[in-house]
């Protein structure tokens, strides 16, 4: 009988260790137990509430790790209402108690601008530089390599990764080093606007924005431009083909081809917005810092567009909202620029159309499960009324909130929505003399 190799025995040991951990009863009285629970993917309302209460007790007793984990529970809405302001406060408290991970978590909030936390590279850098947590160093390297709020300094990024002996950094470092040795690969994968220069809004191309005579139906060819987290710089440009057809009922049918793959689903048009009720696409990552995560699943939610006719050619351009399902986070800012039934795209026209049209208010998360946060800015003191309506029965009001609010930035929560059926809902908002609406998705 052949002897097992050391590697084989190690793999078997890992298997049974994992099995044991999977089968054990989680201790929600400890930080380790709650961490295992929230990343298990098997959450329940009762256990989540207990986990939150236990971490709150430990945090109040001065446990830095529990205080940091409590911030994560607020950020993800586990066992409590989704609340990014409390998450931020909790991370600050945890840092003061000595948690390096809390400083990293604050930097991550500002890096991506999650919820109502304003995206701010300067603040993100401040907190990442305070932290000795390895993932903070990992992200600092990316700030330098990609030029997030800093001049691009690839050598500095490489140095930081080489000094950060964790698996994520080692995986990413190997790709960066290969790219530096093979600049022709970098040239192929680079975006069309690496410098981050704003689109030329003074372009002399004559644009007629009077609308499309035949609507959105037909074949479209163009680009999906994925931006950095500030929304100011294109980080990746992906060719995309979209075919939209009428099904004869309330839904349109859409076929999307990108990265050599085809994706199909339903589509709803409302004025200048296309809503994707249930459509995900898989996209290869340009870089990865985990060997098992070579692709990301983007859940498409909304495309707010404007129409143009340039030299007799029809265009759609605007903001594409997505959620990255792998991370349960909003995708980075993105835009679609589409030309109807085209074989060749005009780069000058694409640049002229490259600006985003957004909603008056932002929502998080979308799709939602239990809590839905609305983030908006009022130009003056206003009476604000928000109604959540059933898309299929618009006269059915699911939730109402009304209040007087001062000029400035606001976050309003619609919570306790876990009893709603999966499907589409309408947020109908009145702020002063303005009225705004958008469709959101309940998982």
């Amino acid at each position: 009988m052949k002897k097992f190799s050391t590697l084989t025995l190690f793999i078997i040991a890992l298997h049974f260790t994992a099995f044991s951990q999977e089968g054990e009863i989680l201790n929600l009285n400890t930080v380790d137990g709650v961490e295992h629970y929230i990343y298990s993917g098997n959450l329940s309302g009762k256990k989540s509430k207990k986990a939150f209460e236990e971490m709150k007790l430990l945090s109040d007793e001065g446990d830095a790790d529990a205080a940091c984990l409590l911030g994560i529970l607020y950020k993800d809405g586990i066992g409590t209402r989704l609340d990014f302001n409390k998450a931020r406060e909790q991370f600050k408290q945890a840092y003061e108690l000595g948690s390096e991970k809390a400083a990293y978590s604050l930097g991550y909030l500002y890096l991506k601008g999650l919820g109502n936390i304003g995206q701010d590279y300067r603040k993100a850098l401040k907190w990442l530089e305070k932290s000795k947590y390895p993932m903070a160093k990992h992200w600092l390297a990316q700030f330098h390599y990609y030029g997030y709020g800093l001049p691009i300094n690839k050598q500095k990024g490489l140095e930081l990764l080489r000094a950060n002996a964790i698996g994520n950094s080692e995986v990413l470092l190997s790709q960066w080093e290969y790219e530096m040795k093979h600049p022709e690969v970098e040239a192929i994968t680079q975006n069309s606007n690496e410098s981050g220069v704003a689109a030329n809004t003074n372009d002399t191309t004559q644009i007629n924005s009077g609308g499309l005579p035949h609507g959105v139906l037909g074949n479209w060819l163009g680009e999906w431009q994925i931006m950095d987290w500030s929304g100011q710089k294109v980080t990746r440009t992906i060719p995309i083909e979209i075919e939209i057809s009428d099904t004869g009922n309330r839904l349109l049918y859409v076929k999307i081809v990108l990265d050599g793959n085809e994706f199909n689903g339903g589509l709803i048009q409302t004025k200048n917005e296309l809503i994707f009720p249930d459509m995900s696409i898989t996209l290869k990552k340009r870089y990865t810092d985990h060997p098992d995560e070579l692709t990301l699943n983007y859940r498409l939610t909304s495309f707010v567009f404007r129409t143009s006719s340039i030299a007799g050619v029809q265009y759609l351009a605007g903001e594409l909202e997505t959620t990255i399902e792998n991370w349960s986070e909003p995708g980075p800012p993105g835009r679609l620029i589409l030309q109807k039934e085209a074989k060749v795209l005009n780069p000058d026209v694409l640049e002229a159309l490259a600006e985003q049209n957004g909603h008056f208010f932002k929502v998080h998360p979308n799709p939602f499960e239990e809590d839905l946060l609305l983030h908006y800015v009022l130009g003056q003191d206003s009476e604000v009324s928000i109604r959540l309506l059933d898309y299929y029965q618009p006269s059915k009001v699911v939730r109402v909130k009304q209040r007087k609010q001062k000029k400035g930035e606001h976050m309003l929560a619609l919570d306790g929505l876990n009893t709603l059926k999966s499907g589409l809902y309408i947020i109908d908002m009145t702020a002063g003399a303005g009225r705004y609406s958008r469709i959101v998705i309940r998982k």
Side-chain angles (χ1 to χ4, degrees):
M1 177 179 178
K2 292 184 178 179
K3 293 183 178 180
F4 283 100
S5 68
T6 303
L7 177 60
T8 304
L9 290 171
F10 177 66
I11 292 172
I12 293 173
L14 278 180
H15 170 76
F16 283 104
T17 300
F19 180 81
S20 172
Q21 289 175 347
E22 192 176 80
E24 70 184 2
I25 298 174
L26 294 172
N27 182 0
L28 299 181
N29 299 316
T30 67
V31 171
D32 286 345
V34 172
E35 282 188 332
H36 279 115
Y37 167 67
I38 65 176
Y39 296 118
S40 69
N42 188 27
L43 305 185
S44 71
K46 188 175 180 180
K47 287 182 181 179
S48 295
K49 188 174 181 181
K50 177 174 174 55
F52 176 82
E53 290 170 349
E54 294 295 340
M55 290 306 98
K56 182 75 165 61
L57 287 174
L58 290 176
S59 175
D60 291 343
E61 292 172 2
D63 187 315
D65 292 335
C68 180
L69 188 52
L70 190 64
I72 293 172
L73 297 179
Y74 276 121
K75 178 180 76 71
D76 294 336
I78 299 174
T80 185
R81 195 178 84 178
L82 193 66
D83 194 321
F84 286 91
N85 286 330
K86 287 187 177 179
R88 176 169 50 186
E89 293 168 7
Q90 199 61 43
F91 289 141
K92 287 181 179 178
Q93 178 185 332
Y95 173 70
E96 291 169 359
L97 290 171
S99 171
E100 298 289 343
K101 185 176 180 179
Y104 156 73
S105 299
L106 275 167
Y108 192 82
L109 276 183
Y110 285 115
L111 164 67
K112 295 194 172 180
L114 298 178
N116 64 313
I117 306 299
Q119 197 283 333
D120 192 319
Y121 284 142
R122 182 181 59 82
K123 290 181 180 178
L125 273 168
K126 167 190 165 185
W127 285 105
L128 292 175
E129 288 173 342
K130 284 176 180 284
S131 178
K132 296 177 183 176
Y133 190 66
M135 283 304 295
K137 304 301 180 186
H138 182 78
W139 273 105
L140 278 175
Q142 296 183 63
F143 269 70
H144 288 281
Y145 194 89
Y146 300 131
Y148 291 157
L150 294 168
I152 291 176
N153 187 338
K154 294 191 174 185
Q155 288 300 331
K156 177 68 172 177
L158 289 165
E159 290 170 10
L160 287 170
L161 281 196
R162 288 177 183 136
N164 199 39
I166 61 172
N168 300 73
S169 293
E170 290 170 355
V171 171
L172 185 56
L173 177 61
S174 65
Q175 296 165 78
W176 284 359
E177 289 180 331
Y178 182 84
E179 183 178 79
M180 293 292 280
K181 293 177 182 176
H182 301 82
E184 71 281 1
V185 175
E186 181 181 9
I188 292 172
T189 59
Q190 276 200 2
N191 61 80
S192 61
N193 193 19
E194 185 80 6
S195 64
V197 176
N200 178 13
T201 56
N202 295 319
D203 191 281
T204 58
T205 306
Q206 295 299 309
I207 299 178
N208 171 16
S209 300
L212 297 182
H214 302 294
V216 299
L217 301 182
N219 297 311
W220 300 87
L221 181 70
E223 296 179 349
W224 175 14
Q225 296 180 349
I226 298 178
M227 318 294 287
D228 76 329
W229 296 104
S230 70
Q232 300 300 310
K233 178 179 175 181
V234 179
T235 62
R236 189 177 180 188
T237 297
I238 302 161
I240 188 168
E241 298 177 42
I242 298 179
E243 179 183 342
I244 302 174
S245 55
D246 195 346
T247 63
N249 55 34
R250 300 180 70 175
L251 276 178
L252 300 176
Y253 173 81
V254 61
K255 179 175 76 174
I256 296 177
V257 179
L258 81 165
D259 209 17
N261 297 304
E262 178 180 312
F263 306 92
N264 302 277
L267 191 65
I268 294 172
Q269 181 180 3
T270 168
K271 296 183 180 178
N272 69 324
E273 182 176 11
L274 298 177
I275 308 296
F276 302 86
D278 186 14
M279 187 167 186
S280 296
I281 61 175
T282 301
L283 184 65
K284 292 177 184 176
K285 295 177 71 174
R286 182 180 173 193
Y287 301 98
T288 187
D289 54 11
H290 195 290
D292 296 330
E293 190 178 72
L294 303 179
T295 62
L296 290 178
N297 297 323
Y298 286 80
R299 171 78 179 255
L300 307 186
T301 55
S302 167
F303 174 41
V304 180
F305 63 87
R306 70 185 186 282
T307 63
S308 302
S309 178
I310 305 173
V313 180
Q314 298 168 356
Y315 292 88
L316 295 181
E319 178 183 346
L320 178 66
E321 286 189 358
T322 64
T323 295
I324 297 178
E325 295 178 310
N326 312 59
W327 305 337
S328 298
E329 289 183 2
R335 59 194 179 208
L336 286 179
I337 305 174
L338 304 172
Q339 179 177 333
K340 194 167 189 180
E341 297 175 348
K343 297 295 184 183
V344 180
L345 295 171
N346 185 328
D348 294 331
V349 173
L350 294 183
E351 184 178 0
L353 293 174
E355 62 181 72
Q356 296 190 48
N357 284 352
H359 291 279
F360 174 74
F361 59 90
K362 294 185 177 181
V363 296
H364 179 88
N366 187 22
F368 68 94
E369 290 188 77
E370 183 170 355
D371 298 339
L372 187 58
L373 303 182
L374 280 65
H375 180 221
Y376 50 93
V377 178
L378 298 175
Q380 58 187 15
D381 295 356
S382 303
E383 292 271 359
V384 175
S385 172
I386 294 174
R387 299 187 304 160
L388 186 64
L389 311 174
D390 189 321
Y391 173 82
Y392 305 99
Q393 303 176 59
S395 60
K396 182 179 179 181
V397 180
V398 178
R399 189 66 54 86
V400 175
K401 285 206 173 184
Q402 294 178 309
R403 59 192 58 186
K404 292 181 179 180
Q405 293 185 321
K406 297 289 186 181
K407 173 183 177 181
E409 184 177 4
H410 294 275
M411 173 66 81
L412 189 146
L414 299 175
D415 53 2
L417 305 177
N418 54 307
T419 59
L420 297 182
K421 295 180 179 179
S422 298
L424 302 178
Y425 292 84
I426 302 170
I427 300 175
D428 181 47
M429 177 178 184
T430 302
R435 186 171 181 178
Y436 315 92
S437 65
R438 63 177 301 181
I439 296 173
V440 291
I441 305 165
R442 166 75 165 85
K443 282 186 180 179

